[in-house]
Amino acid sequence: MPKLEIEQFLCLSDNYGVLIHDPEAEVTAAIDAPDAKTILAQLEAKGWTLTHLFVTHHHGDHTGGNLALKEATGCTIYGPAAEAERIPGIDVEVTDGDVIRFGDFDVKVIETPGHTIGHIAYWIPDAKVAFVGDTLFALGAGRVFEGTAEVMWRSLQKLMRLPPDTEIYCGHEYTQANARFALTLEPDNLALVNRAKEVDLLRDQGKPTLPTRLDRELETNPFLRPNVTAIRAKLGMLYAPDWHVFAAIRERKNKS
Ligand SMILES: [Fe+2]
């Protein structure tokens, strides 16, 4: 099995930059481009040359570095076809089910609309890793800016069906605030209580709480748990469809 090296680092205030590197094939990709300077410094520190840029969605804190990175490295920029006109420097437009060859790895494109209308995630099954942008966060989920709650819920369900041991890399470090909110919905979920403590400890030490893993999210992330009776009872929605409960959780978090 080929090995994939992964570097995660903070960009801007709370964005994560990620570089992935296949040492055999000598290819390197950035997941999103929050800040070209930081990404170029990381590339130099690792001695890697950027060949690919995988963009999840058009927001400026994910694409602001696109043109500078392309200029500096000549990398090929991949991004969602549905947002192509809003993604600076895009070379290759991808849609759901597309497979991008990256060195010895296949990168699978999963459309996850909701946060933005064309948002995509990149899944590398052989490395057991997925890059989900602003769709799913540790203990949270992205705000629904361009889709509806129902569309967003369908997107999250796609991610929930990935293998449970998939490592999940997200666009932002929002976990501590998410944990506080999650506890208001499920104060008796022991896995969540323990995880919230762990998150506090990591943040106290200035450490990242990401990546996370899908099985942990399924156990503790309220946005993936609208079917759980305790959450439904809390919201007074015992018999509503899952996506209605998801929408209510999203609304509540927006106001928190
Ligand atoms: Fe975003």
Side-chain angles (χ1 to χ4, degrees):
M1 182 84 67
K3 197 181 146 22
L4 190 72
E5 294 174 26
I6 305 180
E7 275 293 303
Q8 176 188 257
F9 45 92
L10 264 187
C11 280
L12 308 176
S13 59
D14 55 29
N15 280 79
Y16 278 118
V18 179
L19 292 172
I20 61 175
H21 178 70
D22 177 344
E24 292 289 312
E26 294 188 353
V27 289
T28 306
I31 315 301
D32 287 330
D35 174 33
K37 247 193 196 152
T38 311
I39 293 169
L40 288 169
Q42 291 285 334
L43 285 163
E44 194 173 327
K46 299 298 290 183
W48 296 344
T49 304
L50 194 69
T51 50
H52 301 61
L53 170 53
F54 297 141
V55 176
T56 60
H57 66 295
H58 69 82
H59 285 162
D61 60 327
H62 295 255
T63 57
N66 279 20
L67 294 180
L69 285 177
K70 193 170 177 174
E71 167 99 28
T73 65
C75 65
T76 302
I77 301 182
Y78 297 75
E83 297 179 1
E85 71 288 348
R86 292 189 281 179
I87 296 181
I90 190 167
D91 298 298
V92 183
E93 299 177 20
V94 293
T95 57
D96 197 56
D98 282 356
V99 178
I100 304 162
R101 194 69 190 158
F102 175 73
D104 289 323
F105 296 89
D106 281 338
V107 181
K108 300 197 173 181
V109 175
I110 305 172
E111 282 180 356
T112 56
H115 178 71
T116 63
I117 207 64
H119 193 295
I120 56 178
Y122 296 90
W123 173 41
I124 309 181
D126 282 350
K128 294 178 186 273
V129 65
F131 304 94
V132 302
D134 288 359
T135 297
L136 174 63
F137 294 120
L139 295 174
R143 278 180 183 257
V144 182
F145 287 124
E146 295 178 14
T148 63
E150 190 175 11
V151 164
M152 185 70 163
W153 171 238
R154 243 183 276 135
S155 295
L156 288 169
Q157 282 182 297
K158 281 182 172 179
L159 299 177
M160 290 162 72
R161 288 193 289 266
L162 295 179
D165 60 350
T166 304
E167 298 269 349
I168 306 284
Y169 285 78
C170 315
H172 294 269
E173 178 63 62
Y174 291 158
T175 316
Q176 201 166 28
N178 288 344
R180 258 178 246 130
F181 173 74
L183 282 169
T184 66
L185 288 174
E186 270 196 296
D188 300 325
N189 177 342
L190 198 60
L192 172 60
V193 170
N194 288 333
R195 188 170 179 201
K197 284 183 196 151
E198 190 185 303
V199 165
D200 285 341
L201 202 63
L202 285 168
R203 296 312 291 158
D204 283 350
Q205 298 168 349
K207 291 183 182 160
T209 63
L210 291 162
T212 178
R213 229 170 80 147
L214 184 58
D215 49 5
R216 295 199 91 189
E217 294 310 314
L218 292 170
E219 280 178 7
T220 53
N221 184 334
F223 291 88
L224 306 186
R225 297 166 60 77
N227 61 329
V228 170
T229 308
I231 292 180
R232 291 172 159 259
K234 190 68 119 190
L235 297 169
M237 300 179 79
L238 276 176
Y239 304 107
D242 284 350
W243 79 265
H244 285 200
V245 180
F246 166 77
I249 296 170
R250 185 62 270 173
E251 265 308 296
R252 217 172 154 107
K253 176 68 166 61
N254 290 349
K255 291 182 188 138
S256 73

